[in-house]
Amino acid sequence: MTRYSIAFLPGDGIGPEVAGAARTVLEAVARRCGFQLEFSDHPFGGAAIDQTGEPLSEATTSACLAADAVFLGAVGGPKWDNAPSRPEAGLLALRKAMNVYANLRPVSVHPELADRSPLRPEKVAGVDMVIVRELTGGIYFGERERTEDSASDKCTYSRAEIERVARIAFEQARQRRGRLTSVDKANVLETSRLWRETVSEMGKTDYPDIELDHMYVDAAAMHMLREPTDFDVILTENMFGDILSDEASMLPGSIGLLGSASLSDQRPGLFEPIHGSAPDIAGQGKANPLGAIESAAQLLDSLGEHTAAGLVRRAVEQVHAHAQWTGDLGGTLTTVEVTQAVADAVAAPEPALG
Ligand code: NAD
Ligand code: IPM
Ligand code: MN
């Protein structure tokens, strides 16, 4: 029986609740499809600071690098906001150590979700895009300085860093509807001018079949609300991708729905929902687990277990079709109840009717 090792990092706040949900669904689909998943738990984020003083230990890093895939809940919270090394710094260090430079954040609107969005249902019906966010460069990783009265964060990108993530985005576009929108701020920033030049050259030389356009990030943020179905693949740098993906989560109506896959050139990938630790709802059974569960489907894809990934996504669609939702979507179910509904649908021999 094929076996995969999964490094499991529950993290903080709602992290353990949604990561536990993903694990339940992964275990159900592994049973159904006949492969084995071996989970190993590791302290990470605030939970690790409490144990060792550091958000990311060497032991956790090596366990992640040695695994077939890494699953993460979420990290952070007010308790550690003034820690010498914050949980979020541990997350950036893990992404860097794993070299997961491409972060894929798919956004789609199931028909049942259209009226859950703060936008009008006819605006969001049919939305189906993926945001490809550069994840290991830019302002998140530049030199920083702080004096009493001034501070700076440096943003740097090399041509090679842009090319490798752009290639992932072009390839995504090829497998989808053939459209790529590269988002930058080339009217102001030098890094964005290099970004635009590099992506344009690749479009001409390697991807003439892809319909490529460029947008400034401010206009893209506006267009995301005006005509969100226009987007197929969005390619952008680290910080713009962070902001645009939280905005995009309102198209289906909740940040709790969006998953992400952070990929390098080989395994392991890092899989986490896009949301944070949501301290305001932690420990109350209110967290929407479906973003974490979508990340689990992405994890299965990274292992080549595409049938299993498809079963998970079909199960989530059934849960939407029956409006089996947590409170963020106007439902009345708990995290565990939604998770059980997905796991039951995964285990059902035939798609449940209705
Ligand atoms: P957040 O994403 O945690 O929460 C924003 C809002 O969305 C809150 O109202 C929250 O209740 C809601 N929300 C988030 N996930 C939800 C879910 N699954 N179901 C229902 N509602 C959900 O963002 P924040 O409040 O800005 O940040 C809280 C902490 O999380 C901070 O410490 C931040 O740095 C950290 N954070 C971590 C990650 C990560 O680990 N990848 C991502 C973002 C933020
Ligand atoms: C995300 C988060 C992280 C980011 C933080 C917690 C470092 O917001 O994964 O979107 O900005 O990348
Ligand atoms: Mn974010």
Side-chain angles (χ1 to χ4, degrees):
M1 195 186 276
T2 317
R3 279 177 177 208
Y4 303 101
S5 60
I6 313 293
F8 189 71
L9 281 39
D12 311 316
I14 62 169
E17 298 169 62
V18 300
R23 186 165 171 164
T24 299
V25 171
L26 283 168
E27 280 166 346
V29 82
R31 273 195 299 277
R32 164 95 195 250
C33 295
F35 55 86
Q36 253 183 329
L37 297 175
E38 277 176 10
F39 289 89
S40 61
D41 292 44
H42 305 279
F44 183 55
I49 294 177
D50 288 347
Q51 284 182 30
T52 66
E54 289 296 324
L56 176 64
S57 66
E58 276 178 29
T60 295
T61 308
S62 343
C64 290
L65 291 172
D68 291 315
V70 180
F71 195 92
L72 165 65
V75 295
K79 181 176 175 192
W80 306 283
D81 280 353
N82 297 312
S85 175
R86 290 177 57 135
E88 294 86 344
L91 178 54
L92 299 189
L94 180 64
R95 289 171 177 170
K96 196 73 168 178
M98 293 179 68
N99 195 27
V100 285
Y101 60 82
N103 179 232
L104 275 56
R105 300 185 158 190
V107 186
S108 62
V109 177
H110 186 278
E112 283 295 320
L113 286 170
D115 73 352
R116 304 290 93 190
S117 174
L119 294 189
R120 293 197 304 280
E122 67 270 23
K123 277 286 158 198
V124 299
V127 161
D128 183 4
M129 70 178 85
V130 59
I131 298 174
V132 179
R133 170 189 177 195
E134 201 290 327
L135 201 64
T136 53
I139 198 165
Y140 275 53
F141 291 92
E143 277 169 33
R144 54 194 64 181
E145 262 181 33
R146 174 67 206 263
T147 65
E148 182 59 26
D149 297 318
S150 81
S152 73
D153 297 276
K154 191 170 176 189
C155 184
T156 306
Y157 270 112
S158 68
R159 195 180 288 276
E161 282 177 310
I162 300 165
E163 273 172 4
R164 64 182 185 172
V165 70
R167 199 163 294 288
I168 303 269
F170 276 115
E171 294 294 337
Q172 282 287 314
R174 230 174 223 172
Q175 289 165 32
R176 294 172 50 94
R177 301 194 302 282
R179 295 201 55 192
L180 176 61
T181 306
S182 178
V183 172
D184 61 38
K185 188 75 186 172
N187 49 348
V188 176
L189 301 176
E190 234 16 89
T191 40
S192 280
R193 284 193 268 274
L194 177 64
W195 187 280
R196 191 173 284 218
E197 183 187 305
T198 306
V199 175
S200 300
E201 279 166 16
M202 287 175 76
K204 282 192 204 107
T205 55
D206 295 353
Y207 297 95
D209 52 314
I210 301 301
E211 192 188 327
L212 169 67
D213 63 353
H214 304 269
M215 268 191 201
Y216 298 131
V217 63
D218 47 353
M222 181 272 287
H223 202 74
M224 177 89 72
L225 306 185
R226 182 172 67 182
E227 220 55 73
T229 52
D230 278 357
F231 293 109
D232 180 11
V233 180
I234 291 178
L235 164 66
T236 193
E237 59 106 85
N238 202 342
M239 187 160 71
F240 298 160
D242 179 44
I243 298 166
L244 288 177
S245 53
D246 270 33
E247 183 190 1
S249 77
M250 282 300 112
L251 303 171
S254 172
I255 192 167
L257 289 167
L258 266 54
S260 86
S262 305
L263 306 174
S264 85
D265 291 324
Q266 65 277 311
R267 285 185 203 161
L270 170 63
F271 301 87
E272 50 172 317
I274 82 154
H275 62 73
S277 59
D280 54 329
I281 58 166
Q284 301 171 41
K286 290 183 179 170
N288 186 335
L290 296 176
I293 291 170
E294 163 58 23
S295 309
Q298 291 175 296
L299 180 154
L300 292 165
D301 276 328
S302 82
L303 300 176
E305 296 290 350
H306 302 297
T307 305
L311 279 167
V312 171
R313 292 198 176 99
R314 197 186 66 188
V316 169
E317 280 178 15
Q318 286 177 37
V319 160
H320 286 318
H322 293 100
Q324 290 170 298
W325 292 324
T326 41
D328 52 321
L329 292 170
T332 56
L333 300 192
T334 64
T335 309
V336 168
E337 286 167 343
V338 173
T339 305
Q340 202 49 54
V342 177
D344 289 348
V346 159
E350 297 294 330
L353 297 174

mmCIF file with all atom_site columns, all heavy atoms in Angstrom, residues 147-164:
data_model
loop_
_atom_site.group_PDB
_atom_site.id
_atom_site.type_symbol
_atom_site.label_atom_id
_atom_site.label_alt_id
_atom_site.label_comp_id
_atom_site.label_asym_id
_atom_site.label_entity_id
_atom_site.label_seq_id
_atom_site.pdbx_PDB_ins_code
_atom_site.Cartn_x
_atom_site.Cartn_y
_atom_site.Cartn_z
_atom_site.occupancy
_atom_site.B_iso_or_equiv
_atom_site.pdbx_formal_charge
_atom_site.auth_seq_id
_atom_site.auth_comp_id
_atom_site.auth_asym_id
_atom_site.auth_atom_id
_atom_site.pdbx_PDB_model_num
ATOM 1   N N   . THR A 1 147 ? 14.772 52.521 13.584  1.00 0.00 ? 147 THR A N   1
ATOM 2   C CA  . THR A 1 147 ? 15.335 53.362 14.638  1.00 0.00 ? 147 THR A CA  1
ATOM 3   C C   . THR A 1 147 ? 14.141 53.901 15.406  1.00 0.00 ? 147 THR A C   1
ATOM 4   O O   . THR A 1 147 ? 12.987 53.595 15.064  1.00 0.00 ? 147 THR A O   1
ATOM 5   C CB  . THR A 1 147 ? 16.162 54.530 14.073  1.00 0.00 ? 147 THR A CB  1
ATOM 6   O OG1 . THR A 1 147 ? 15.273 55.383 13.353  1.00 0.00 ? 147 THR A OG1 1
ATOM 7   C CG2 . THR A 1 147 ? 17.282 54.042 13.163  1.00 0.00 ? 147 THR A CG2 1
ATOM 8   N N   . GLU A 1 148 ? 14.394 54.715 16.397  1.00 0.00 ? 148 GLU A N   1
ATOM 9   C CA  . GLU A 1 148 ? 13.287 55.236 17.186  1.00 0.00 ? 148 GLU A CA  1
ATOM 10  C C   . GLU A 1 148 ? 12.226 55.904 16.297  1.00 0.00 ? 148 GLU A C   1
ATOM 11  O O   . GLU A 1 148 ? 11.032 55.653 16.446  1.00 0.00 ? 148 GLU A O   1
ATOM 12  C CB  . GLU A 1 148 ? 13.850 56.232 18.227  1.00 0.00 ? 148 GLU A CB  1
ATOM 13  C CG  . GLU A 1 148 ? 12.831 56.836 19.177  1.00 0.00 ? 148 GLU A CG  1
ATOM 14  C CD  . GLU A 1 148 ? 12.062 55.806 20.010  1.00 0.00 ? 148 GLU A CD  1
ATOM 15  O OE1 . GLU A 1 148 ? 12.584 54.700 20.250  1.00 0.00 ? 148 GLU A OE1 1
ATOM 16  O OE2 . GLU A 1 148 ? 10.912 56.119 20.389  1.00 0.00 ? 148 GLU A OE2 1
ATOM 17  N N   . ASP A 1 149 ? 12.693 56.705 15.325  1.00 0.00 ? 149 ASP A N   1
ATOM 18  C CA  . ASP A 1 149 ? 11.747 57.535 14.570  1.00 0.00 ? 149 ASP A CA  1
ATOM 19  C C   . ASP A 1 149 ? 11.668 57.229 13.083  1.00 0.00 ? 149 ASP A C   1
ATOM 20  O O   . ASP A 1 149 ? 11.079 57.995 12.323  1.00 0.00 ? 149 ASP A O   1
ATOM 21  C CB  . ASP A 1 149 ? 12.122 59.025 14.741  1.00 0.00 ? 149 ASP A CB  1
ATOM 22  C CG  . ASP A 1 149 ? 11.990 59.438 16.202  1.00 0.00 ? 149 ASP A CG  1
ATOM 23  O OD1 . ASP A 1 149 ? 11.008 59.028 16.841  1.00 0.00 ? 149 ASP A OD1 1
ATOM 24  O OD2 . ASP A 1 149 ? 12.904 60.130 16.703  1.00 0.00 ? 149 ASP A OD2 1
ATOM 25  N N   . SER A 1 150 ? 12.297 56.161 12.650  1.00 0.00 ? 150 SER A N   1
ATOM 26  C CA  . SER A 1 150 ? 12.123 55.801 11.250  1.00 0.00 ? 150 SER A CA  1
ATOM 27  C C   . SER A 1 150 ? 12.216 54.289 11.096  1.00 0.00 ? 150 SER A C   1
ATOM 28  O O   . SER A 1 150 ? 12.727 53.590 11.982  1.00 0.00 ? 150 SER A O   1
ATOM 29  C CB  . SER A 1 150 ? 13.168 56.497 10.365  1.00 0.00 ? 150 SER A CB  1
ATOM 30  O OG  . SER A 1 150 ? 14.381 55.795 10.421  1.00 0.00 ? 150 SER A OG  1
ATOM 31  N N   . ALA A 1 151 ? 11.674 53.822 9.963   1.00 0.00 ? 151 ALA A N   1
ATOM 32  C CA  . ALA A 1 151 ? 11.677 52.376 9.708   1.00 0.00 ? 151 ALA A CA  1
ATOM 33  C C   . ALA A 1 151 ? 11.739 52.167 8.214   1.00 0.00 ? 151 ALA A C   1
ATOM 34  O O   . ALA A 1 151 ? 11.263 53.007 7.437   1.00 0.00 ? 151 ALA A O   1
ATOM 35  C CB  . ALA A 1 151 ? 10.407 51.746 10.281  1.00 0.00 ? 151 ALA A CB  1
ATOM 36  N N   . SER A 1 152 ? 12.334 51.052 7.768   1.00 0.00 ? 152 SER A N   1
ATOM 37  C CA  . SER A 1 152 ? 12.329 50.760 6.335   1.00 0.00 ? 152 SER A CA  1
ATOM 38  C C   . SER A 1 152 ? 12.240 49.261 6.099   1.00 0.00 ? 152 SER A C   1
ATOM 39  O O   . SER A 1 152 ? 12.727 48.453 6.901   1.00 0.00 ? 152 SER A O   1
ATOM 40  C CB  . SER A 1 152 ? 13.575 51.329 5.662   1.00 0.00 ? 152 SER A CB  1
ATOM 41  O OG  . SER A 1 152 ? 14.697 50.562 6.009   1.00 0.00 ? 152 SER A OG  1
ATOM 42  N N   . ASP A 1 153 ? 11.581 48.908 4.995   1.00 0.00 ? 153 ASP A N   1
ATOM 43  C CA  . ASP A 1 153 ? 11.476 47.522 4.529   1.00 0.00 ? 153 ASP A CA  1
ATOM 44  C C   . ASP A 1 153 ? 11.842 47.543 3.053   1.00 0.00 ? 153 ASP A C   1
ATOM 45  O O   . ASP A 1 153 ? 11.193 48.230 2.264   1.00 0.00 ? 153 ASP A O   1
ATOM 46  C CB  . ASP A 1 153 ? 10.032 47.023 4.660   1.00 0.00 ? 153 ASP A CB  1
ATOM 47  C CG  . ASP A 1 153 ? 9.549  46.993 6.095   1.00 0.00 ? 153 ASP A CG  1
ATOM 48  O OD1 . ASP A 1 153 ? 9.828  46.014 6.788   1.00 0.00 ? 153 ASP A OD1 1
ATOM 49  O OD2 . ASP A 1 153 ? 8.898  47.988 6.515   1.00 0.00 ? 153 ASP A OD2 1
ATOM 50  N N   . LYS A 1 154 ? 12.847 46.790 2.686   1.00 0.00 ? 154 LYS A N   1
ATOM 51  C CA  . LYS A 1 154 ? 13.330 46.860 1.303   1.00 0.00 ? 154 LYS A CA  1
ATOM 52  C C   . LYS A 1 154 ? 12.665 45.774 0.445   1.00 0.00 ? 154 LYS A C   1
ATOM 53  O O   . LYS A 1 154 ? 12.569 44.619 0.869   1.00 0.00 ? 154 LYS A O   1
ATOM 54  C CB  . LYS A 1 154 ? 14.850 46.658 1.303   1.00 0.00 ? 154 LYS A CB  1
ATOM 55  C CG  . LYS A 1 154 ? 15.507 46.968 -0.014  1.00 0.00 ? 154 LYS A CG  1
ATOM 56  C CD  . LYS A 1 154 ? 17.019 46.970 0.145   1.00 0.00 ? 154 LYS A CD  1
ATOM 57  C CE  . LYS A 1 154 ? 17.697 47.186 -1.195  1.00 0.00 ? 154 LYS A CE  1
ATOM 58  N NZ  . LYS A 1 154 ? 19.145 46.991 -1.096  1.00 0.00 ? 154 LYS A NZ  1
ATOM 59  N N   . CYS A 1 155 ? 12.243 46.154 -0.751  1.00 0.00 ? 155 CYS A N   1
ATOM 60  C CA  . CYS A 1 155 ? 11.617 45.196 -1.680  1.00 0.00 ? 155 CYS A CA  1
ATOM 61  C C   . CYS A 1 155 ? 12.571 44.891 -2.821  1.00 0.00 ? 155 CYS A C   1
ATOM 62  O O   . CYS A 1 155 ? 12.968 45.793 -3.555  1.00 0.00 ? 155 CYS A O   1
ATOM 63  C CB  . CYS A 1 155 ? 10.315 45.784 -2.232  1.00 0.00 ? 155 CYS A CB  1
ATOM 64  S SG  . CYS A 1 155 ? 9.446  44.622 -3.296  1.00 0.00 ? 155 CYS A SG  1
ATOM 65  N N   . THR A 1 156 ? 12.953 43.630 -2.969  1.00 0.00 ? 156 THR A N   1
ATOM 66  C CA  . THR A 1 156 ? 13.879 43.226 -4.035  1.00 0.00 ? 156 THR A CA  1
ATOM 67  C C   . THR A 1 156 ? 13.305 42.020 -4.762  1.00 0.00 ? 156 THR A C   1
ATOM 68  O O   . THR A 1 156 ? 12.752 41.123 -4.123  1.00 0.00 ? 156 THR A O   1
ATOM 69  C CB  . THR A 1 156 ? 15.245 42.802 -3.427  1.00 0.00 ? 156 THR A CB  1
ATOM 70  O OG1 . THR A 1 156 ? 15.726 43.863 -2.611  1.00 0.00 ? 156 THR A OG1 1
ATOM 71  C CG2 . THR A 1 156 ? 16.263 42.490 -4.503  1.00 0.00 ? 156 THR A CG2 1
ATOM 72  N N   . TYR A 1 157 ? 13.411 42.021 -6.078  1.00 0.00 ? 157 TYR A N   1
ATOM 73  C CA  . TYR A 1 157 ? 13.124 40.819 -6.876  1.00 0.00 ? 157 TYR A CA  1
ATOM 74  C C   . TYR A 1 157 ? 14.208 40.644 -7.921  1.00 0.00 ? 157 TYR A C   1
ATOM 75  O O   . TYR A 1 157 ? 14.638 41.622 -8.539  1.00 0.00 ? 157 TYR A O   1
ATOM 76  C CB  . TYR A 1 157 ? 11.757 40.921 -7.585  1.00 0.00 ? 157 TYR A CB  1
ATOM 77  C CG  . TYR A 1 157 ? 10.628 40.366 -6.729  1.00 0.00 ? 157 TYR A CG  1
ATOM 78  C CD1 . TYR A 1 157 ? 9.660  41.206 -6.204  1.00 0.00 ? 157 TYR A CD1 1
ATOM 79  C CD2 . TYR A 1 157 ? 10.556 39.009 -6.453  1.00 0.00 ? 157 TYR A CD2 1
ATOM 80  C CE1 . TYR A 1 157 ? 8.639  40.704 -5.408  1.00 0.00 ? 157 TYR A CE1 1
ATOM 81  C CE2 . TYR A 1 157 ? 9.539  38.497 -5.654  1.00 0.00 ? 157 TYR A CE2 1
ATOM 82  C CZ  . TYR A 1 157 ? 8.589  39.340 -5.140  1.00 0.00 ? 157 TYR A CZ  1
ATOM 83  O OH  . TYR A 1 157 ? 7.589  38.839 -4.343  1.00 0.00 ? 157 TYR A OH  1
ATOM 84  N N   . SER A 1 158 ? 14.638 39.421 -8.144  1.00 0.00 ? 158 SER A N   1
ATOM 85  C CA  . SER A 1 158 ? 15.559 39.152 -9.248  1.00 0.00 ? 158 SER A CA  1
ATOM 86  C C   . SER A 1 158 ? 14.745 38.623 -10.424 1.00 0.00 ? 158 SER A C   1
ATOM 87  O O   . SER A 1 158 ? 13.623 38.120 -10.252 1.00 0.00 ? 158 SER A O   1
ATOM 88  C CB  . SER A 1 158 ? 16.588 38.092 -8.833  1.00 0.00 ? 158 SER A CB  1
ATOM 89  O OG  . SER A 1 158 ? 15.947 36.841 -8.660  1.00 0.00 ? 158 SER A OG  1
ATOM 90  N N   . ARG A 1 159 ? 15.329 38.724 -11.613 1.00 0.00 ? 159 ARG A N   1
ATOM 91  C CA  . ARG A 1 159 ? 14.662 38.201 -12.808 1.00 0.00 ? 159 ARG A CA  1
ATOM 92  C C   . ARG A 1 159 ? 14.347 36.708 -12.633 1.00 0.00 ? 159 ARG A C   1
ATOM 93  O O   . ARG A 1 159 ? 13.258 36.244 -12.979 1.00 0.00 ? 159 ARG A O   1
ATOM 94  C CB  . ARG A 1 159 ? 15.577 38.426 -14.019 1.00 0.00 ? 159 ARG A CB  1
ATOM 95  C CG  . ARG A 1 159 ? 14.894 38.278 -15.365 1.00 0.00 ? 159 ARG A CG  1
ATOM 96  C CD  . ARG A 1 159 ? 15.865 38.515 -16.513 1.00 0.00 ? 159 ARG A CD  1
ATOM 97  N NE  . ARG A 1 159 ? 16.247 39.915 -16.666 1.00 0.00 ? 159 ARG A NE  1
ATOM 98  C CZ  . ARG A 1 159 ? 15.529 40.825 -17.330 1.00 0.00 ? 159 ARG A CZ  1
ATOM 99  N NH1 . ARG A 1 159 ? 14.395 40.487 -17.893 1.00 0.00 ? 159 ARG A NH1 1
ATOM 100 N NH2 . ARG A 1 159 ? 15.961 42.070 -17.436 1.00 0.00 ? 159 ARG A NH2 1
ATOM 101 N N   . ALA A 1 160 ? 15.287 35.968 -12.053 1.00 0.00 ? 160 ALA A N   1
ATOM 102 C CA  . ALA A 1 160 ? 15.090 34.517 -11.876 1.00 0.00 ? 160 ALA A CA  1
ATOM 103 C C   . ALA A 1 160 ? 13.906 34.224 -10.944 1.00 0.00 ? 160 ALA A C   1
ATOM 104 O O   . ALA A 1 160 ? 13.128 33.294 -11.183 1.00 0.00 ? 160 ALA A O   1
ATOM 105 C CB  . ALA A 1 160 ? 16.364 33.880 -11.320 1.00 0.00 ? 160 ALA A CB  1
ATOM 106 N N   . GLU A 1 161 ? 13.766 35.018 -9.905  1.00 0.00 ? 161 GLU A N   1
ATOM 107 C CA  . GLU A 1 161 ? 12.632 34.805 -8.978  1.00 0.00 ? 161 GLU A CA  1
ATOM 108 C C   . GLU A 1 161 ? 11.300 35.070 -9.686  1.00 0.00 ? 161 GLU A C   1
ATOM 109 O O   . GLU A 1 161 ? 10.303 34.398 -9.419  1.00 0.00 ? 161 GLU A O   1
ATOM 110 C CB  . GLU A 1 161 ? 12.741 35.764 -7.777  1.00 0.00 ? 161 GLU A CB  1
ATOM 111 C CG  . GLU A 1 161 ? 13.737 35.371 -6.722  1.00 0.00 ? 161 GLU A CG  1
ATOM 112 C CD  . GLU A 1 161 ? 13.829 36.419 -5.614  1.00 0.00 ? 161 GLU A CD  1
ATOM 113 O OE1 . GLU A 1 161 ? 13.997 37.628 -5.927  1.00 0.00 ? 161 GLU A OE1 1
ATOM 114 O OE2 . GLU A 1 161 ? 13.728 36.039 -4.446  1.00 0.00 ? 161 GLU A OE2 1
ATOM 115 N N   . ILE A 1 162 ? 11.298 36.074 -10.538 1.00 0.00 ? 162 ILE A N   1
ATOM 116 C CA  . ILE A 1 162 ? 10.054 36.395 -11.261 1.00 0.00 ? 162 ILE A CA  1
ATOM 117 C C   . ILE A 1 162 ? 9.753  35.298 -12.287 1.00 0.00 ? 162 ILE A C   1
ATOM 118 O O   . ILE A 1 162 ? 8.620  34.820 -12.385 1.00 0.00 ? 162 ILE A O   1
ATOM 119 C CB  . ILE A 1 162 ? 10.167 37.779 -11.939 1.00 0.00 ? 162 ILE A CB  1
ATOM 120 C CG1 . ILE A 1 162 ? 10.416 38.866 -10.872 1.00 0.00 ? 162 ILE A CG1 1
ATOM 121 C CG2 . ILE A 1 162 ? 8.911  38.087 -12.757 1.00 0.00 ? 162 ILE A CG2 1
ATOM 122 C CD1 . ILE A 1 162 ? 10.892 40.207 -11.423 1.00 0.00 ? 162 ILE A CD1 1
ATOM 123 N N   . GLU A 1 163 ? 10.801 34.877 -13.000 1.00 0.00 ? 163 GLU A N   1
ATOM 124 C CA  . GLU A 1 163 ? 10.585 33.877 -14.052 1.00 0.00 ? 163 GLU A CA  1
ATOM 125 C C   . GLU A 1 163 ? 10.016 32.573 -13.503 1.00 0.00 ? 163 GLU A C   1
ATOM 126 O O   . GLU A 1 163 ? 9.104  31.992 -14.085 1.00 0.00 ? 163 GLU A O   1
ATOM 127 C CB  . GLU A 1 163 ? 11.930 33.557 -14.749 1.00 0.00 ? 163 GLU A CB  1
ATOM 128 C CG  . GLU A 1 163 ? 12.219 34.515 -15.874 1.00 0.00 ? 163 GLU A CG  1
ATOM 129 C CD  . GLU A 1 163 ? 13.625 34.333 -16.450 1.00 0.00 ? 163 GLU A CD  1
ATOM 130 O OE1 . GLU A 1 163 ? 14.362 33.412 -16.022 1.00 0.00 ? 163 GLU A OE1 1
ATOM 131 O OE2 . GLU A 1 163 ? 13.976 35.147 -17.322 1.00 0.00 ? 163 GLU A OE2 1
ATOM 132 N N   . ARG A 1 164 ? 10.544 32.110 -12.367 1.00 0.00 ? 164 ARG A N   1
ATOM 133 C CA  . ARG A 1 164 ? 10.105 30.784 -11.901 1.00 0.00 ? 164 ARG A CA  1
ATOM 134 C C   . ARG A 1 164 ? 8.642  30.794 -11.463 1.00 0.00 ? 164 ARG A C   1
ATOM 135 O O   . ARG A 1 164 ? 7.904  29.848 -11.726 1.00 0.00 ? 164 ARG A O   1
ATOM 136 C CB  . ARG A 1 164 ? 11.038 30.218 -10.829 1.00 0.00 ? 164 ARG A CB  1
ATOM 137 C CG  . ARG A 1 164 ? 11.092 31.001 -9.544  1.00 0.00 ? 164 ARG A CG  1
ATOM 138 C CD  . ARG A 1 164 ? 12.085 30.385 -8.566  1.00 0.00 ? 164 ARG A CD  1
ATOM 139 N NE  . ARG A 1 164 ? 12.022 31.106 -7.308  1.00 0.00 ? 164 ARG A NE  1
ATOM 140 C CZ  . ARG A 1 164 ? 12.633 30.736 -6.198  1.00 0.00 ? 164 ARG A CZ  1
ATOM 141 N NH1 . ARG A 1 164 ? 13.370 29.626 -6.184  1.00 0.00 ? 164 ARG A NH1 1
ATOM 142 N NH2 . ARG A 1 164 ? 12.524 31.441 -5.092  1.00 0.00 ? 164 ARG A NH2 1
#
